[in-house]
Amino acid sequence: MLKAAAAQVAARQAGSRVFGELQSLDGILAVNKPSGISCSGLLDYFKRNIGRGHLAAPFRDHFEHERELRKSGKKIRRRMDKSDSGKSYLAMGRLGVATDSYDAEGRVTKIAPTEGITAHGMEELLAEFTGEIMQRPPIYSAIRVDGMRLYQYARAGNKVNVKNIRLLHFVNPQAGAEFGTPVALPEKFLEYFVTDRYAWVDGCPEMQEGMLMTPYVNQPDTASFQILIQSGGGGVYVRSLVHDIGERLGSAATMTSLLRTSQGPLRLDRDTIEVEDLVYVDRVRDAIAHAENVIRAVGAERSLDVYFE
């Protein structure tokens, strides 16, 4: 009994200490968000598990729950991102196919030819997507944001500021064209992208409208591209941008992967922590201190032109 009582006291003391540490946390940190979960979904995991350490719920379980919740169209009350710091994104897209979600998780709504599309033609088109443009998210979504369903925002449209777009890589076997060298994706992202739900299996049936896009993301000998996008203000709805590029090319396009490479002065390759670190108070505290040091050193409004040199 004495040992049990001592264990209970120790547990309460540990809980009180962690709670006190959590109360003292205040600041900004940068996280390497995995593909396939929203920023709000990741924040929800953080709030539920910070300080729990090895007792935290497995992130994979939360990831799958979030995916099913988004697919169900159930009410999710979350604020839209209104941060005024600039952002940059590394996105890959596949030409010749469109989906209802504008990304690889959706169902195919259009299959179009790509024979006449070249890297030169695409570069010329990208210039037309810089500056202030109107965007519409995919109307399939029933998720609520600030009390409105996303398709209501889609009807209204949204003005965004695209500072720069650069075509990094382009390949179109149907046109015998190839341009540039793709930026290598981080190892953890690449492993998920290639070996998990996006793995191409030889012998897949021919893609048709109404089918899920997922098994065809890494299908060989298809037209695809990689772009780097620099935005101002509240960011850019990248999947909509990719979809619109496909339409303007007289074909179709679907976003197949997306990485936010920076927000303000914080960069993915040097200033972020991993999801696994979010459940440990000391690691979160260190990440906050690092982010604040970066912001003080270079300024919150630092230009992101380093990505376009």
Side-chain angles (χ1 to χ4, degrees):
M1 290 297 294
L2 290 177
K3 290 184 178 179
Q8 290 175 1
V9 170
R12 284 197 297 270
Q13 290 176 340
S16 298
R17 177 180 58 79
V18 170
F19 180 77
E21 292 177 338
L22 292 178
Q23 291 291 93
S24 67
L25 290 178
D26 181 26
I28 297 171
L29 72 154
V31 183
N32 181 12
K33 183 181 77 66
S35 175
I37 188 172
S38 67
C39 293
S40 296
L42 183 60
L43 181 60
D44 184 52
Y45 176 78
F46 173 61
K47 290 189 293 186
R48 291 171 183 267
N49 291 280
I50 175 63
R52 298 189 65 190
H54 67 281
L55 298 177
F59 177 73
R60 170 58 69 175
D61 293 348
H62 178 83
F63 180 96
E64 293 299 336
H65 174 73
E66 172 81 6
R67 180 185 297 275
E68 293 305 315
L69 191 62
R70 291 172 66 87
K71 284 183 179 180
S72 71
K74 292 182 179 179
K75 184 176 181 179
I76 306 177
R77 301 188 66 89
R78 292 174 178 157
R79 289 191 172 275
M80 296 184 74
D81 184 2
K82 293 182 172 62
S83 169
D84 60 0
S85 61
K87 302 177 179 71
S88 63
Y89 309 86
L90 182 66
M92 295 181 66
R94 175 166 168 183
L95 291 168
V97 57
T99 69
D100 56 2
S101 61
Y102 295 1
D103 68 5
E105 297 294 322
R107 293 190 176 275
V108 176
T109 58
K110 180 180 179 181
I111 299 175
T114 63
E115 285 82 355
I117 302 176
T118 65
H120 178 70
M122 187 166 183
E123 281 192 302
E124 288 187 336
L125 176 65
L126 292 182
E128 300 177 18
F129 282 90
T130 58
E132 288 194 342
I133 64 173
M134 294 297 296
Q135 287 196 306
R136 290 181 174 84
I139 63 173
Y140 86 103
S141 180
I143 295 173
R144 287 181 182 268
V145 179
D146 283 343
M148 285 180 64
R149 293 192 182 276
L150 197 54
Y151 62 72
Q152 292 175 298
Y153 282 104
R155 294 190 186 117
N158 184 38
K159 183 180 290 186
V160 299
N161 181 16
V162 180
K163 292 185 177 181
N164 204 340
I165 308 179
R166 172 175 292 180
L167 180 63
L168 301 179
H169 182 245
F170 177 91
V171 59
N172 185 359
Q174 289 73 34
E178 186 168 1
F179 165 83
T181 303
V183 172
L185 300 176
E187 185 176 347
K188 290 184 66 174
F189 183 94
L190 185 62
E191 181 181 359
Y192 166 83
F193 183 69
V194 174
T195 63
D196 197 0
R197 63 186 73 249
Y198 297 114
W200 164 258
V201 179
D202 289 336
C204 279
E206 183 178 353
M207 183 170 57
Q208 299 178 14
E209 291 186 15
M211 298 180 66
L212 282 172
M213 172 68 181
T214 307
Y216 299 91
V217 173
N218 289 310
Q219 184 178 5
D221 301 324
T222 55
S224 61
F225 59 90
Q226 186 184 63
I227 54 177
L228 186 64
I229 306 154
Q230 179 187 10
S231 77
V236 173
Y237 209 61
V238 179
R239 67 176 70 182
S240 292
L241 181 66
V242 171
H243 175 86
D244 292 346
I245 288 171
E247 292 287 316
R248 292 285 294 278
L249 286 169
S251 180
T254 295
M255 186 184 78
T256 55
S257 74
L258 176 67
L259 281 175
R260 184 183 294 185
T261 56
S262 71
Q263 179 158 347
L266 301 172
R267 289 175 50 171
L268 175 66
D269 57 353
R270 68 183 186 194
D271 303 316
T272 56
I273 65 173
E274 300 301 320
V275 169
E276 294 80 2
D277 298 319
L278 290 176
V279 301
Y280 297 98
V281 177
D282 56 340
R283 299 179 191 179
V284 171
R285 184 187 296 110
D286 291 344
I288 290 174
H290 174 81
E292 290 180 345
N293 287 336
V294 171
I295 292 171
R296 280 196 297 267
V298 301
E301 299 301 322
R302 172 193 174 195
S303 170
L304 301 177
D305 290 343
V306 63
Y307 292 102
F308 293 84
E309 293 174 353

